């Protein structure tokens, strides 16, 4: 049975978004947040510390650790990439060197997402209704316009900004998931036996996701991708196909892809077993002792804001394309979203699991646009305009208050939340913020003009607004955020309290704090034992009660309490040794 398409699009509505504009969008989103800041707490600095330990030869490459503490991700590939970058660029600051491969991973995410949506939009079932007298959208132009919209929807997602600019396994998982998504989406148009192409991307994506701490997700995505390919083989020709599609797609090619996907999925399962990467991480809401209602409310709020504005568009896609749910342009991204949301609901790292759903969710959101009415598009525009203009205004007002003290209330709030912070004017941070604000003004003016034909127009303001606010935060507010979110002030304070060239024993310190003390404080750290070997001891205040089980308390005298300026509850206790070193004690006669 032939199912009619809900998409009604004329050729005039699929003109391409200028490539230079799209490139500037991506650059303005990707680069801010990677430059000019210290590693932030907690996962960002902890991941960086793991990479430094590997590069310095202080940790096993097959079991990355920092001061004997393993990563919470059980990942390998992200730490390898950062460590290799440090070793390859010894002249560069290590914190900057490790970010280079992660910049590439974010760029890969955007590029792979664009091509995934493009190939999904080339599917016969995704094509718009053919007009009686012609004039409907050309398939290639239609796919390109939908792909532009999908990329804009991804950039617009609020949850992407911070997590995609950290040197953590979460960004590596996102990049490899997007690569798998692209490889499976493009399978009808590429040969499975060609080494260079989507087949290689599928191998790298599945292996990379496995080595990034998510072998179960890789197994599920691979299994579901094989099922979608089989569904395409069985029902993918229910409507008349275009000649180009028929010439490139055959039953033999579909079976080749099914065999390839299943084989690679089994291969990564064996790889995970060989490297002992399988871990039981299932924790259902309520199992941690917290009220079940509160847990579900927290999860609901996360789903609402993290995936905004893609989720309402994706729901609209599922409704309008409900008769084509088995078609690959709906079924494939829907499976990727379902797996990611399932991981979000059943694991503790909910936000980082939900991050993996964004490329597929953006793809679903893009397919809502061909079914939109003008009133719905206008509603999106007005809400976006008010929301992001208001956010940008707040950022500017607070920055002016920090520089001048006027208005007084925002300045007082900053002084209260970040005691000790001294704002200063930076021209290199001010100019990009000013240019971005002027560009936003021009974009709003353009959208309010007669430019209403392009199908991607409704996502220009959401993507532009998200990019504007992220860039403003990473320029105007960067010194404040760096002061409040990094361990640099705390580390330097500790370093000033100990003698130079002295080692420091630590007890109960998280890996993030230990990494910061090594990098910012230039301290030589050792895990505390019953026998004192260093002149100083640093203890996490939360672990003070159990300190006597590990160290000999009479050997130490309390010196000072050091806390992060922006969080007084994050305290470290500094002790100085009062006993003689073991090798200098007088020996009994």
């Amino acid at each position: 049975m032939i199912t009619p398409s809900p998409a009604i699009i004329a050729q005039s509505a699929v003109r391409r978004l200028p490539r230079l504009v799209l490139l500037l969008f991506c650059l303005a989103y990707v680069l801010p947040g990677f430059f000019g800041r210290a590693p932030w707490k907690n996962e960002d600095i902890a991941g960086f510390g793991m990479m430094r330990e590997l590069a310095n030869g202080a940790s096993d490459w097959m079991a990355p650790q920092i001061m004997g503490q393993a990563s919470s991700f059980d990942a390998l590939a992200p730490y390898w990439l950062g460590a290799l970058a440090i070793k390859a660029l010894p002249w560069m600051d290590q914190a900057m060197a490790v970010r280079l491969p992660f910049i590439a991973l974010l760029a890969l995410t955007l590029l792979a997402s664009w091509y995934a949506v493009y190939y999904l939009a080339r599917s016969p079932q995704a094509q718009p209704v053919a007009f009686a007298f012609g004039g409907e959208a050309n398939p290639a132009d239609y796919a390109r316009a939908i792909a532009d919209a999908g990329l804009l929807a991804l950039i617009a997602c609020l949850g992407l900004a911070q997590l995609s600019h950290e040197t953590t396994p979460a960004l590596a998982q996102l990049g490899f998931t997007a690569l798998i998504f692209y490889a499976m989406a493009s399978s009808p148009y590429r040969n499975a036996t060609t080494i260079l192409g989507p087949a290689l991307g599928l191998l790298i994506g599945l292996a990379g996701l496995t080595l990034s701490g998510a072998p179960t997700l890789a197994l599920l995505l691979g299994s579901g991708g094989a099922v979608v390919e089989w569904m395409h083989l069985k029902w993918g020709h229910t409507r008349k196909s275009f000649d180009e599609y028929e010439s490139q797609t055959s039953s033999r090619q579909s079976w080749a892809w099914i065999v390839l996907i299943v084989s690679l999925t089994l291969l990564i399962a064996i790889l995970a077993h060989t490297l002992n990467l399988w871990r039981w991480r299932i924790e259902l809401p309520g199992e941690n002792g917290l009220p079940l209602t509160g847990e579900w409310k927290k999860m609901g709020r996360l789903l609402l804001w993290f995936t905004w504005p893609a989720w309402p568009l994706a729901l609209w896609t599922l409704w309008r394309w409900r008769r084509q749910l088995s078609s690959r342009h709906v079924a494939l991204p829907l499976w990727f979203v379902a797996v990611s949301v399932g991981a979000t609901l059943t694991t503790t790292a909910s936000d980082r699991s939900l991050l993996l759903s964004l490329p597929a969710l953006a793809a679903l959101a893009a397919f809502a646009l061909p079914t939109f009415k003008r009133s719905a598009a206008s509603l999106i525009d007005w809400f976006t305009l008010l929301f992001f203009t208001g956010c940008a205004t707040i950022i500017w007002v607070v920055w002016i208050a920090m520089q001048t003290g006027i208005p007084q209330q925002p300045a007082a709030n900053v002084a209260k939340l970040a005691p000790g912070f001294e704002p200063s004017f930076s021209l290199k941070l001010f100019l990009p913020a000013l240019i971005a604000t002027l560009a936003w003004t021009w974009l709003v003016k353009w959208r309010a003009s007669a430019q209403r034909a392009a199908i991607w127009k409704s996502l220009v303001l959401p993507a532009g607004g998200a990019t504007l606010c992220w860039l403003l935060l990473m320029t105007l507010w960067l010194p404040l955020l760096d002061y409040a979110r990094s361990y640099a002030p705390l580390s330097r304070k500790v370093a000033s309290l100990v003698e130079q060239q002295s080692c420091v024993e630590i007890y109960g310190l998280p890996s993030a704090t230990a990494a910061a003390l090594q990098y910012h404080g230039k301290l030589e750290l050792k895990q505390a034992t019953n026998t004192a070997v260093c002149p100083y001891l640093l203890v996490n205040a939360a672990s003070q009660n159990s300190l006597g089980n590990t160290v000999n308390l009479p050997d130490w005298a309390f010196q000072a309490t050091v806390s992060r300026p922006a969080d007084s509850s994050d305290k470290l206790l500094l002790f100085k040794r009062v006993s003689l070193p073991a090798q200098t004690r007088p020996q009994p006669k």
Side-chain angles (χ1 to χ4, degrees):
M1 179 180 177
I2 298 177
T3 305
S5 171
I8 303 176
I9 295 295
Q11 179 63 29
S12 60
V14 294
R15 74 167 184 268
R16 62 189 295 173
L17 180 64
R19 299 299 97 176
L20 179 60
V21 174
L22 194 60
L23 177 61
L24 291 177
F25 252 121
C26 294
L27 290 177
Y29 188 84
V30 171
L31 297 182
F34 278 117
F35 295 93
R37 68 170 180 86
W40 288 349
K41 71 179 204 79
N42 285 314
E43 297 298 339
D44 192 26
I45 183 65
F48 171 56
M50 296 284 180
M51 298 166 198
R52 289 185 76 243
E53 293 287 275
L54 290 178
N56 296 335
S59 178
D60 183 0
W61 284 67
M62 298 307 297
Q65 294 182 345
I66 178 170
M67 301 301 298
Q69 300 181 55
S71 168
S72 59
F73 279 95
D74 291 317
L76 295 174
Y79 303 131
W80 292 348
L81 291 174
L84 291 174
I86 292 175
K87 296 177 75 69
L89 302 168
W91 49 269
M92 184 179 290
D93 178 70
Q94 293 181 338
M96 187 64 244
V98 300
R99 289 176 189 157
L100 297 182
F102 288 86
I103 292 175
L105 284 169
L106 180 53
L108 173 66
T109 299
L110 300 181
L111 184 65
S113 298
W114 190 94
Y115 275 103
V117 180
Y118 174 81
Y119 284 114
L120 290 176
R122 293 293 299 271
S123 302
Q125 295 88 349
Q127 299 304 309
V129 173
F131 298 164
F133 299 100
E136 70 275 3
N138 175 272
D141 295 335
Y142 171 75
R144 188 181 297 111
I146 292 292
D148 291 344
L151 181 56
L152 294 176
L154 177 60
I155 293 175
C157 289
L158 299 181
L160 181 66
Q162 179 184 335
L163 297 183
S164 66
H165 289 82
E166 294 181 345
T167 55
T168 67
L171 177 52
Q173 292 177 7
L174 175 64
F176 291 127
T177 299
L179 194 58
I180 298 170
F181 186 41
Y182 151 72
M184 293 182 176
S186 62
S187 61
Y189 303 91
R190 294 292 185 268
N191 198 319
T193 58
T194 302
I195 297 178
L196 296 179
L200 179 61
L202 182 63
L203 172 61
I204 295 174
L206 288 173
L209 187 58
T210 300
L211 294 174
S212 296
T216 303
L217 292 183
L219 182 64
L220 291 174
L221 293 179
S223 303
V227 172
V228 171
E229 192 66 39
W230 177 80
M231 292 168 58
H232 168 73
L233 175 66
K234 189 173 181 63
W235 297 300
H237 304 280
T238 56
R239 57 176 291 191
K240 187 176 180 180
S241 301
F242 295 99
D243 293 338
E244 180 184 355
Y245 187 87
E246 290 177 339
S247 66
Q248 295 182 358
T249 306
S250 64
S251 296
R252 180 179 299 178
Q253 182 172 331
S254 295
W255 275 115
W257 272 104
I258 293 174
V259 171
L260 177 65
I261 294 173
V262 171
S263 300
L264 291 180
T265 302
L266 292 176
L267 183 63
I268 61 102
I270 296 172
L271 175 66
H273 176 74
T274 303
L275 298 179
N276 193 28
L277 298 178
W278 296 109
R279 297 289 185 274
W280 180 262
R281 297 183 179 276
I282 301 298
E283 183 176 311
L284 299 176
E287 287 187 355
N288 54 7
L290 297 176
L292 183 60
T293 304
E295 287 287 286
W296 281 111
K297 286 182 178 180
K298 179 181 177 181
M299 201 70 66
R301 288 193 296 267
L302 176 66
L303 290 170
L304 288 177
W305 80 261
F306 196 93
T307 60
W308 180 270
W311 71 263
L313 298 179
L315 290 179
W316 182 254
T317 294
L318 296 180
W319 170 250
R320 291 305 307 270
W321 294 87
R322 61 191 180 278
R323 301 181 186 276
Q324 290 91 354
L325 290 180
S326 61
S327 301
R328 69 180 304 111
H329 74 287
V330 178
L332 185 63
L334 182 58
W335 174 248
F336 274 68
V337 171
V339 170
S340 300
V341 172
T344 301
L345 298 176
T346 56
T347 60
T348 54
S350 53
D351 54 347
R352 299 175 191 274
S353 298
L354 190 58
L355 179 70
L356 308 186
S357 71
L358 296 185
L361 200 64
L364 288 176
F367 284 106
L369 301 183
T371 68
F372 257 14
K373 295 181 180 180
R374 181 172 296 182
S375 58
S378 298
L379 179 62
I380 293 176
D381 287 336
W382 277 109
F383 178 82
T384 302
L385 176 62
L386 294 175
F387 178 77
F388 285 114
T389 300
C391 291
T393 301
I394 292 173
I395 296 173
W396 273 106
V397 168
V398 173
W399 178 81
I400 293 173
M402 287 190 291
Q403 300 296 321
T404 66
I406 300 173
Q408 295 182 358
Q409 190 58 48
N413 291 340
V414 170
K416 179 180 179 181
L417 294 174
F421 173 69
E422 298 180 0
S424 60
F425 178 80
S426 174
L427 186 62
K428 67 179 181 180
L429 296 178
F430 172 75
L431 285 180
L434 180 61
I435 294 172
T437 304
L438 294 176
W440 170 253
T441 304
W442 176 87
L443 191 64
V444 171
K445 181 180 178 182
W446 174 88
R447 184 64 188 92
S449 66
Q451 309 292 337
R452 300 191 180 95
I455 192 175
W456 37 261
K457 63 185 184 301
S458 298
L459 288 171
V460 168
L461 288 184
T467 302
L468 169 69
C469 291
W470 176 248
L471 191 147
L472 292 181
L473 288 173
M474 293 298 103
T475 52
L476 298 180
W477 282 24
L478 184 59
L480 173 63
L481 293 175
D482 212 24
Y483 181 82
R485 292 189 57 82
S486 79
Y487 280 105
L490 179 143
S491 301
R492 294 178 185 129
K493 179 64 175 177
V494 171
S496 68
L497 295 175
V498 303
E499 299 175 2
Q500 293 185 359
Q501 309 302 323
S502 298
C503 68
V504 178
E505 296 186 42
I506 61 173
Y507 177 79
L509 266 62
S511 57
T513 309
L517 291 169
Q518 289 179 326
Y519 176 66
H520 295 296
K522 312 298 182 185
L523 299 177
E524 178 188 355
L525 304 182
K526 298 180 181 296
Q527 287 289 356
T529 61
N530 189 51
T531 303
V533 296
C534 295
Y536 294 95
L537 170 66
L538 202 58
V539 180
N540 183 4
S543 305
Q544 183 181 9
N545 293 336
S546 60
L547 179 61
N549 298 331
T550 302
V551 304
N552 185 26
L553 294 180
D555 290 344
W556 303 97
F558 175 74
Q559 290 290 107
T561 299
V562 185
S563 60
R564 284 200 315 113
D567 186 2
S568 59
S569 63
D570 195 353
K571 295 180 180 180
L572 300 180
L573 307 178
L574 180 64
F575 295 83
K576 188 172 182 179
R577 191 178 63 203
V578 294
S579 64
L580 291 175
Q583 61 269 27
T584 63
R585 291 174 183 170
Q587 299 297 323
K589 296 181 180 181

